[in-house]
Amino acid sequence: MEKIVIKGNKPLHGSIEVSGMKNAAVAIVFGTILAEGKCTLGNIPLISDISDAFDILTSVGAVIKRIDKTTYEIDTTRIKPCSAPYDLVKKMRASYYILGAELGRFGRARAAYPGGCDIGLRPIDQHIKGFRALGADVDATNPGGYVNITTEDGKLYGDSVYLDIVSVGATINIMLAACKAEGTTVIDNAAREPHVVDLANFLNSCGADISGAGTEMIKIRGVSKLHGVHYDIIPDMIEAGTYMVAAAATKGELTVTNVIPRHLETVTAKLLEMGAEVEEYDDSVRVRGENTEIKGTYVKTAPYPGFPTDMNPQMGALMAIAGGQSMIREGVWDNRFKYVDELIRMGADIKSDSKSATFTGVKTLHGAPVSACDLRAGAALIIAGLSATGKTEIDNIYHIQRGYENIVGKLKNVGADIELKYVPDEAASLNNVG
Ligand code: EPZ
């Protein structure tokens, strides 16, 4: 088992380069199923969600070649639909994109219910509603937790789908399924996240006809065939936001490069409100927390362009040490405050229920053994550990490795005292006794 060990209370200084966006990359990697040919994807983040997605694609017949550190060629010519193994699919949430992509290409799909972070109920009723609107027959009740999707004549037919709730996953899955449907599909109340737009751009460059991505109404006119392309994934706004908050929390100064500043506007606005200095450049942002008093604020998370729920825990780590009172209201998930108990172990003063948390800032946190209960909670604990006095040891870091490329190395380069430490698994060593 690996842990992250941090000796904190050191300001971060320097420059950090952001990797490709996890949530765009996972959608586009599965989107290559629709392109009958080879796609070359650049700016792929080196994270375990991507290696899991590659494992799933390889297991159904794709051939994946590494071109360079962040560029991969994916050939999905010989994919066999309905064959994704349960053990691989259950590891990651975004594996459900195989349903939309296989359905779009073959007119049938089958996969296990997906896994992913435990941040609340994660139903897929809106995905199913969309597939059914396109004429598919969806059986989500069979034993073993599989979703089985078929069509009468192997074809889907475009129609209108109104999403009852703004869902990133449902918007993406319906877009994937509809690319080759006969006629036009309209998704109303669609998610507007930059990763939805990135997937639409990728599919359009493969020959799809999608308009309106980035607005609440997306129109997909079916085409008969999609072809392979070279495509570069956009930078990860949540990784960027995490480092921006870390600069403020450690009273340091960081330039975060390879970003799209427009995607960071809500994080920038909140950091400015809290007293940090933020300067935007063409493809970088500079955040200064030194010589300023960070003060409390109010955040309500909401679908894009609202404040991202995936920045809730990191903001919480900053609010724990901001002057006065702060509050976060969670507007997307039911269970995003599990990190609060870990921050309290580090000396934070926080009251929370499932929907909101109130922070009374303390002067400083102190290091403690803590556990990453999900991906962004893990990022928050790293920020807390960097700002705290003493030593913080974080376990369950596989959650963090699902979504942050080389976070330890990147932070070390800007002055953090942070290490990956291998610790023998206690249960395993007990089993070996006698
Ligand atoms: C995506 O999850 C992201 N994951 C999440 O990022 C992110 O938190 C979330 O969008 C919201 O921005 C990926 O892109 C792989 P949703 P997704 O469908 O698509 C409800 C991270 O830390 N809902 O937009 O699963 C649902 O319960 C991760 O990187 C339904 O009710 O989220 C939630 O309350 C974690 N029925 C809300 O909608 C459905 O059919 C938003 O979920 C689907 C969703």
Side-chain angles (χ1 to χ4, degrees):
M1 185 178 49
E2 279 180 323
K3 288 189 180 187
I4 291 178
V5 181
I6 304 169
K7 292 191 189 118
N9 203 16
K10 288 188 177 62
L12 301 179
H13 277 284
S15 171
I16 292 195
E17 187 178 338
V18 165
S19 303
M21 187 194 269
K22 168 179 89 81
N23 290 342
V26 287
I28 291 171
V29 163
F30 285 110
T32 61
I33 291 176
L34 283 162
E36 292 162 46
K38 292 178 183 168
C39 287
T40 317
L41 300 181
N43 207 25
I44 286 274
L46 306 178
I47 52 176
S48 66
D49 263 11
I50 289 294
S51 44
D52 289 345
F54 281 178
D55 287 347
I56 294 171
L57 273 189
T58 308
S59 74
V60 299
V63 179
I64 303 181
K65 274 194 214 147
R66 181 178 181 274
I67 305 294
D68 63 36
K69 188 172 163 262
T70 57
T71 310
Y72 287 80
E73 180 192 271
I74 306 180
D75 184 351
T76 57
T77 314
R78 290 184 208 297
I79 290 264
K80 280 200 200 72
C82 306
S83 62
Y86 171 80
D87 284 348
L88 295 178
V89 169
K90 71 169 190 204
K91 280 167 93 172
M92 63 180 302
R93 181 74 186 160
S95 58
Y96 57 28
Y97 295 144
I98 203 166
L99 291 172
E102 284 190 351
L103 183 61
R105 174 159 161 196
F106 301 103
R108 63 200 160 100
R110 180 176 188 266
Y113 266 100
C117 282
D118 175 16
I119 48 182
L121 281 179
R122 301 188 78 170
I124 59 165
D125 56 300
Q126 298 302 306
H127 305 232
I128 293 173
K129 176 179 173 177
F131 297 149
R132 285 190 175 138
L134 301 181
D137 186 5
V138 184
D139 178 4
T141 57
N142 47 40
Y146 276 87
V147 183
N148 209 17
I149 313 179
T150 50
T151 45
E152 233 166 61
D153 53 0
K155 285 188 189 156
L156 294 169
Y157 297 89
D159 206 336
S160 293
V161 187
Y162 175 82
L163 295 181
D164 301 309
I165 187 158
V166 179
S167 160
V168 172
T171 304
I172 286 180
N173 242 339
I174 299 165
M175 256 165 56
L176 291 168
C179 277
K180 292 177 65 187
E182 276 195 31
T184 299
T185 301
V186 177
I187 310 175
D188 206 352
N189 201 25
R192 290 179 275 169
E193 267 69 2
H195 26 303
V196 171
V197 179
D198 208 32
L199 174 71
N201 288 341
F202 162 74
L203 292 169
N204 281 342
S205 60
C206 294
D209 184 353
I210 302 173
S211 56
T215 74
E216 68 280 2
M217 189 181 283
I218 300 179
K219 223 177 237 182
I220 306 132
R221 294 177 187 82
V223 297
S224 57
K225 207 169 161 123
L226 270 66
H227 52 79
V229 282
H230 175 93
Y231 190 82
D232 289 320
I233 312 279
I234 53 169
D236 196 314
M237 63 183 200
I238 304 299
E239 186 194 6
T242 301
Y243 294 131
M244 290 168 74
V245 172
T250 61
K251 299 195 169 295
E253 176 177 347
L254 283 182
T255 302
V256 185
T257 66
N258 186 32
V259 303
I260 299 174
R262 192 167 37 87
H263 295 167
L264 298 166
E265 271 166 9
T266 48
V267 176
T268 298
K270 286 295 155 186
L271 286 175
L272 288 170
E273 249 173 63
M274 294 177 88
E277 284 176 29
V278 185
E279 282 166 41
E280 287 181 3
Y281 303 95
D282 285 350
D283 59 1
S284 63
V285 286
R286 189 162 143 266
V287 180
R288 275 187 69 214
E290 56 193 358
N291 305 324
T292 60
E293 280 305 310
I294 297 292
K295 48 185 186 295
T297 191
Y298 171 78
V299 162
K300 168 142 178 39
T301 70
Y304 193 84
F307 189 92
T309 172
D310 294 345
M311 283 299 298
N312 165 342
Q314 301 90 314
M315 233 16 204
L318 181 59
M319 287 175 172
I321 51 168
Q325 289 235 321
S326 297
M327 186 180 205
I328 302 182
R329 256 184 208 292
E330 173 59 36
V332 178
W333 296 110
D334 306 327
N335 194 13
R336 198 121 220 194
F337 289 107
K338 286 199 299 181
Y339 68 91
V340 160
D341 286 342
E342 303 303 298
L343 290 183
I344 290 173
R345 292 157 67 80
M346 299 176 73
D349 181 354
I350 311 170
K351 306 261 178 300
S352 70
D353 56 33
S354 64
K355 278 290 167 197
S356 66
T358 308
F359 302 72
T360 305
V362 295
K363 208 164 164 356
T364 177
L365 298 173
H366 49 76
V370 286
S371 184
C373 44
D374 62 60
L375 166 61
R376 308 302 172 188
L381 294 176
I382 291 184
I383 294 171
L386 291 170
S387 77
T389 55
K391 186 164 99 173
T392 298
E393 278 200 19
I394 308 173
D395 66 17
N396 277 338
I397 62 164
Y398 64 91
H399 282 300
I400 302 171
Q401 290 163 334
R402 284 187 36 224
Y404 287 90
E405 176 178 327
N406 187 24
I407 191 165
V408 168
K410 287 187 184 186
L411 287 169
K412 217 185 239 198
N413 278 342
V414 292
D417 186 341
I418 181 168
E419 299 288 345
L420 262 184
K421 183 173 134 193
Y422 178 75
V423 227
D425 186 334
E426 276 170 29
S429 28
L430 283 178
N431 285 339
N432 289 337
V433 174

